[in-house]
C-alpha cells in the first residue's frame, strides 16, 4: 500500500511535469508569435515615421525649388533689362562715332544735338547695376539636432505605475459614488484610466466564497469618476483603478473599500390586507380582494396564502419574522415593511399612482393591531393624502391630525433618525421639508403603508441625500413644521 501511494504520487508528479512542459512549450510559441507581432507593429510605427519624414522632406524641397525659381526669374528679368540697355547704348555709341566724321558744321551740329538728347534718355543711365536678389539660400537651411536627440531618445513605452486612490476625496452620497485618484508621479504618456468596482458585505476585500465579479468602466480621461444610479443593497463596495498608455496597462491600485450601507426592505405580503396586491416594493389596492382572491388557484394565490417572504436581516441585530401576524382587515388597508429599524439613520421614497384616492406613508411599532390604521395609534406616525371628493394633506399621530397647507408632491421621501428620535417627510424631488415628528423611539420601527383605490411604489436602498443632511442642521429653526403632534412614544 505504501509503495502504491508512492507510485501514485510519482505518477501525479509526472503528469504535473508533463503539463508544465506543455505549458512551457506553448509559452515559447506564444513568445515567438507575440515577438513577431511586436516587430510587425514596430515596422509599422517606423514606416509611419519614415512616411512623415519623406513627406516633410518633399514639402521642404518644394519650398527650396520655389525660392530658387523666384530668384532666377528676378535675375533673368534684370539680365534682360541690362542686355536691352547695352544694345541701345552700343547703337548710340556707334552713331556718335560716325557723327565725328561729319565735315559740314550745320549737319554736325544737328547730329550732335540728337545724340545728346538720346544719351540723356538712354536706358543705360536708368538701370541698377546691383543684383535684385541675393544668391544666398541659407535662410532655408534646417537644423535637426533637437529632433535627432528626440529620435535617439525613443524607447519602448514604460508600463504605467499603479494609481493611488485618494480615500479622503472619495464621496458616497445621493445614490452615487465619486472615486478620486492620483498617479504616484507625473506620467504624460498615460492615455486613460480603467475603474473597476464590485459590491460586498465585508469591510476589506471581498471574501472568496461571496466574491462578485468586477464591473468595469473603461476610457476614463480624468482622475475622478462618479458611479451614479446605484442601489446600495450591500454594506460596502470595493473599487480599484489602473492606468493605461497607448500600448500597455499598468497594475491595479490597491483596492479601497467604501461604506455604502442603506436601508433595504420589501413589503411583507404575509400580513397585508387581503384587498392589497403586494409584489416586493409595489402595493396595489384591489376591490375584488378578500373572498374573491381566495378562490384563485394559481401562483399569485399561493404567494399570498400565508407562505412567509424570504427572511431578511434587520438593520438592528435580530431578524424580523412576521409570518405569524394576523392579516390586517376591515378598513385597515395596510402593509408593513419586512425589515425593522432598530438604530441609525435611514431613508426611502414612495411614489403614488396619479389616480390614487387615499394613502398613508409612515412608521409603526410591531404592535399595530389588525384593525388599526396608521396615525390613529400612539405607536404609529404618518402623513396622509386624501384625493377623494376633496384634496387633503395632513400629518397623523395618536389619532390627532395636523393639516399641511402645502402642495402634495408626487414623490415623498421618508427620513428616519431612530437614535435622534426624528421622523421627517420631504418632497423627494425638491428636498423641501413637509413635516417632522420628534419623539423618543422605544421599540423597533417598521415602515408602514396604507393604500385605497390606487398603488404605491417604494424605493429602498437609498442613501440619505446630501441635501437632507444640510437641511437637518437648520431644521431646529423650523418650529412650524413640528407642532402639536410631537410626542414621547412609550
Amino acid at each position: 500500500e505504501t509503495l502504491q501511494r508512492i507510485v501514485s504520487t510519482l505518477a501525479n508528479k509526472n503528469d504535473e511535469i508533463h503539463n508544465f512542459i506543455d505549458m512551457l512549450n506553448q509559452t515559447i510559441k506564444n513568445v515567438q508569435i507575440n515577438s513577431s507581432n511586436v516587430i510587425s507593429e514596430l515596422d509599422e510605427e517606423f514606416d509611419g515615421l519614415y512616411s512623415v519624414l519623406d513627406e516633410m522632406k518633399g514639402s521642404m524641397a518644394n519650398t527650396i525649388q520655389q525660392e530658387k525659381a523666384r530668384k532666377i526669374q528676378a535675375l533673368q528679368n534684370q539680365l534682360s533689362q541690362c542686355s536691352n540697355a547695352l544694345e541701345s547704348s552700343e547703337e548710340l555709341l556707334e552713331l556718335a562715332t560716325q557723327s565725328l566724321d561729319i565735315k559740314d558744321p550745320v549737319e554736325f551740329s544737328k547730329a550732335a544735338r540728337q545724340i545728346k538728347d538720346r544719351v540723356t534718355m538712354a536706358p543705360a543711365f536708368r538701370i541698377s547695376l546691383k543684383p535684385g536678389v541675393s544668391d544666398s539660400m541659407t535662410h532655408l537651411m534646417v537644423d535637426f539636432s533637437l529632433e535627432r536627440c528626440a529620435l535617439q531618445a525613443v524607447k519602448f513605452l514604460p508600463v504605467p505605475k499603479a494609481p493611488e486612490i485618494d480615500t479622503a476625496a472619495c464621496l458616497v452620497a445621493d445614490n452615487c459614488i465619486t472615486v478620486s485618484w492620483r498617479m504616484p508621479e507625473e506620467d504624460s504618456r498615460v492615455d486613460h484610466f480603467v475603474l473597476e468596482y464590485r459590491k460586498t458585505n465585508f469591510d476589506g476585500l471581498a471574501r472568496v466564497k461571496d466574491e462578485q465579479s468586477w464591473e468595469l468602466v473603461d476610457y476614463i480621461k480624468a482622475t475622478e469618476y462618479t458611479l451614479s444610479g446605484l442601489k446600495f443593497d450591500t454594506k460596502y463596495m470595493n473599487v480599484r483603478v489602473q492606468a493605461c498608455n497607448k500600448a500597455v496597462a499598468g497594475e491595479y491600485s490597491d483596492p479601497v473599500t467604501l461604506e455604502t450601507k442603506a436601508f433595504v426592505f420589501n413589503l411583507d405580503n404575509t400580513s397585508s390586507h387581503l384587498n392589497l396586491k403586494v409584489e416586493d416594493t409595489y402595493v396595489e389596492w384591489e376591490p375584488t380582494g378578500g373572498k374573491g382572491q381566495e378562490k384563485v388557484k394559481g401562483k399569485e394565490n399561493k404567494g399570498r396564502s400565508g407562505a412567509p417572504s424570504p427572511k431578511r436581516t434587520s438593520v438592528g441585530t435580530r431578524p424580523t419574522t412576521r409570518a405569524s401576524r394576523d392579516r390586517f382587515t376591515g378598513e385597515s388597508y395596510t402593509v408593513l415593511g419586512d425589515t425593522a429599524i432598530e438604530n441609525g439613520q435611514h431613508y426611502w421614497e414612495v411614489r403614488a399612482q396619479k389616480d390614487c384616492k387615499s394613502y398613508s406613508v409612515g412608521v409603526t411599532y410591531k404592535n399595530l393591531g389588525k384593525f388599526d390604521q396608521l396615525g390613529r395609534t400612539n405607536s404609529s406616525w404618518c402623513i396622509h393624502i386624501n384625493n377623494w371628493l376633496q384634496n387633503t394633506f395632513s400629518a397623523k399621530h395618536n389619532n390627532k391630525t395636523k393639516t399641511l397647507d402645502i402642495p402634495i408632491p408626487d414623490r415623498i421621501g421618508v427620513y428616519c433618525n431612530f437614535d435622534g428620535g426624528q421622523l421627517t417627510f420631504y418632497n423627494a424631488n425638491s428636498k423641501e421639508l413637509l413635516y417632522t415628528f420628534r419623539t423618543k423611539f422605544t421599540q423597533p420601527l417598521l415602515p408602514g403603508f396604507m393604500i385605497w383605490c390606487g398603488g404605491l411604489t417604494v424605493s429602498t436602498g437609498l442613501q440619505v441625500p446630501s441635501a437632507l443632511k444640510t437641511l437637518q442642521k437648520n431644521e431646529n429653526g423650523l418650529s412650524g413644521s413640528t407642532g402639536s403632534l410631537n410626542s414621547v412614544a412609550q
Side-chain angles (χ1 to χ4, degrees):
E1 290 177 356
T2 303
L3 182 59
Q4 183 64 42
R5 285 196 300 271
I6 293 173
V7 170
S8 176
T9 301
L10 184 59
N12 290 336
K13 180 57 67 175
N14 286 349
D15 289 340
E16 291 178 4
I17 294 175
H18 278 299
N19 292 336
F20 185 62
I21 289 174
D22 292 340
M23 186 189 73
L24 289 177
N25 287 328
Q26 184 61 45
T27 303
I28 291 173
K29 290 181 180 179
N30 291 342
V31 169
Q32 293 172 339
I33 294 172
N34 292 336
S35 297
S36 299
N37 292 338
V38 171
I39 289 175
S40 298
E41 292 177 0
L42 184 65
D43 288 339
E44 290 180 6
E45 290 292 332
F46 271 91
D47 287 344
L49 185 58
Y50 298 151
S51 175
V52 171
L53 291 173
D54 285 340
E55 184 178 346
M56 290 180 61
K57 178 182 177 181
S59 175
M60 298 177 82
N62 185 50
T63 300
I64 293 173
Q65 293 295 339
Q66 290 177 355
E67 181 69 0
K68 167 190 169 184
R70 184 187 71 81
K71 287 194 171 188
I72 290 177
Q73 184 63 45
L75 292 170
Q76 285 180 342
N77 291 340
Q78 196 173 12
L79 180 61
S80 176
Q81 292 174 0
C82 289
S83 298
N84 293 336
L86 181 60
E87 182 180 352
S88 174
S89 180
E90 286 178 346
E91 180 184 348
L92 185 59
L93 181 61
E94 183 180 355
L95 182 60
T97 302
Q98 292 175 356
S99 298
L100 292 174
D101 295 334
I102 298 175
K103 303 300 183 181
D104 185 357
V106 176
E107 290 295 329
F108 178 80
S109 177
K110 181 180 177 181
R113 282 196 297 270
Q114 290 177 351
I115 293 171
K116 177 184 177 184
D117 292 339
R118 290 182 63 180
V119 168
T120 303
M121 301 298 294
F125 294 99
R126 296 198 304 271
I127 64 173
S128 172
L129 298 180
K130 181 180 179 180
V133 294
S134 169
D135 60 354
S136 173
M137 298 290 284
T138 55
H139 62 291
L140 294 177
M141 297 295 290
V142 294
D143 179 10
F144 285 131
S145 57
L146 293 178
E147 289 75 8
R148 187 176 292 106
C149 290
L151 288 173
Q152 290 172 346
V154 170
K155 298 178 181 178
F156 293 107
L157 277 172
V159 178
K161 293 188 177 181
E164 298 173 351
I165 297 179
D166 186 359
T167 54
C170 295
L171 178 65
V172 179
D174 303 320
N175 275 40
C176 298
I177 292 179
T178 299
V179 184
S180 181
W181 61 88
R182 58 177 174 265
M183 294 297 293
E185 59 186 46
E186 187 175 352
D187 187 350
S188 60
R189 294 176 180 265
V190 171
D191 179 68
H192 64 274
F193 296 93
V194 175
L195 169 68
E196 290 191 344
Y197 65 96
R198 63 184 176 189
K199 297 179 179 180
T200 176
N201 280 318
F202 305 102
D203 185 7
L205 294 179
R207 300 179 183 180
V208 175
K209 64 177 182 179
D210 298 301
E211 187 174 285
Q212 297 188 27
S213 59
W214 290 97
E215 296 186 58
L216 182 143
V217 182
D218 204 353
Y219 293 103
I220 303 172
K221 293 294 186 179
T223 56
E224 183 178 277
Y225 189 82
T226 297
L227 299 165
S228 58
L230 299 174
K231 182 175 181 181
F232 292 144
D233 49 3
T234 55
K235 295 180 181 179
Y236 304 98
M237 184 175 289
N238 299 139
V239 294
R240 64 182 186 181
V241 184
Q242 70 176 164
C244 306
N245 56 34
K246 292 185 180 296
V248 65
E251 293 294 327
Y252 276 99
S253 66
D254 292 333
V256 169
T257 301
L258 303 175
E259 185 174 4
T260 59
K261 285 193 293 186
F263 185 41
V264 181
F265 64 90
N266 279 346
L267 301 178
D268 183 12
N269 67 344
T270 65
S271 62
S272 66
H273 195 286
L274 283 176
N275 279 90
L276 299 183
K277 178 183 177 181
V278 177
E279 296 177 359
D280 293 336
T281 56
Y282 177 75
V283 54
E284 183 177 7
W285 186 83
E286 292 185 335
T288 58
K291 295 182 179 179
Q293 293 185 20
E294 293 173 356
K295 296 178 182 179
V296 178
K297 303 295 183 181
K299 293 183 179 179
E300 183 178 332
N301 188 49
K302 293 179 181 179
R304 294 202 273 163
S305 62
S309 59
K311 291 184 179 181
R312 290 177 157 285
T313 303
S314 70
V315 174
T317 56
R318 303 187 304 275
T320 302
T321 6
R322 303 198 30 79
S324 60
R325 169 187 270 292
D326 292 334
R327 285 185 176 273
F328 289 101
T329 188
E331 294 185 357
S332 180
Y333 301 112
T334 303
V335 61
L336 303 179
D338 64 357
T339 304
I341 297 174
E342 300 182 11
N343 53 52
Q345 303 178 44
H346 310 286
Y347 179 80
W348 61 97
E349 294 179 354
V350 181
R351 182 190 292 274
Q353 291 179 346
K354 291 184 178 180
D355 58 350
C356 190
K357 296 292 187 273
S358 178
Y359 61 96
S360 297
V361 177
V363 297
T364 178
Y365 290 160
K366 299 178 183 179
N367 60 3
L368 190 67
K370 64 180 182 178
F371 293 99
D372 291 336
Q373 296 182 12
L374 289 175
R376 293 194 175 185
T377 68
N378 67 348
S379 60
S380 62
W381 301 258
C382 73
I383 57 172
H384 177 73
I385 294 89
N386 182 22
N387 296 318
W388 178 248
L389 300 180
Q390 61 180 358
N391 293 337
T392 59
F393 188 24
S394 57
K396 291 185 176 184
H397 168 64
N398 200 19
N399 210 24
K400 295 179 181 179
T401 301
K402 180 178 178 62
T403 301
L404 306 179
D405 188 18
I406 49 179
I408 301 173
D410 63 349
R411 193 158 55 98
I412 297 172
V414 184
Y415 167 74
C416 179
N417 184 347
F418 186 93
D419 303 316
Q422 180 181 352
L423 178 67
T424 304
F425 299 89
Y426 292 93
N427 181 326
N429 295 319
S430 66
K431 302 302 182 287
E432 177 188 1
L433 176 65
L434 302 176
Y435 195 82
T436 295
F437 292 101
R438 295 189 183 280
T439 185
K440 180 181 179 182
F441 298 120
T442 59
Q443 300 179 33
L445 293 169
L446 291 170
F449 310 89
M450 187 282 292
I451 182 71
W452 178 66
C453 289
L456 293 178
T457 300
V458 184
S459 298
T460 70
L462 307 179
Q463 288 277 324
V464 178
S466 56
L468 298 194
K469 294 179 180 179
T470 302
L471 286 174
Q472 296 304 313
K473 299 177 181 179
N474 304 321
E475 194 184 333
N476 290 334
L478 301 176
S479 57
S481 66
T482 53
S484 61
L485 299 186
N486 296 345
S487 65
V488 177
Q490 302 297 330

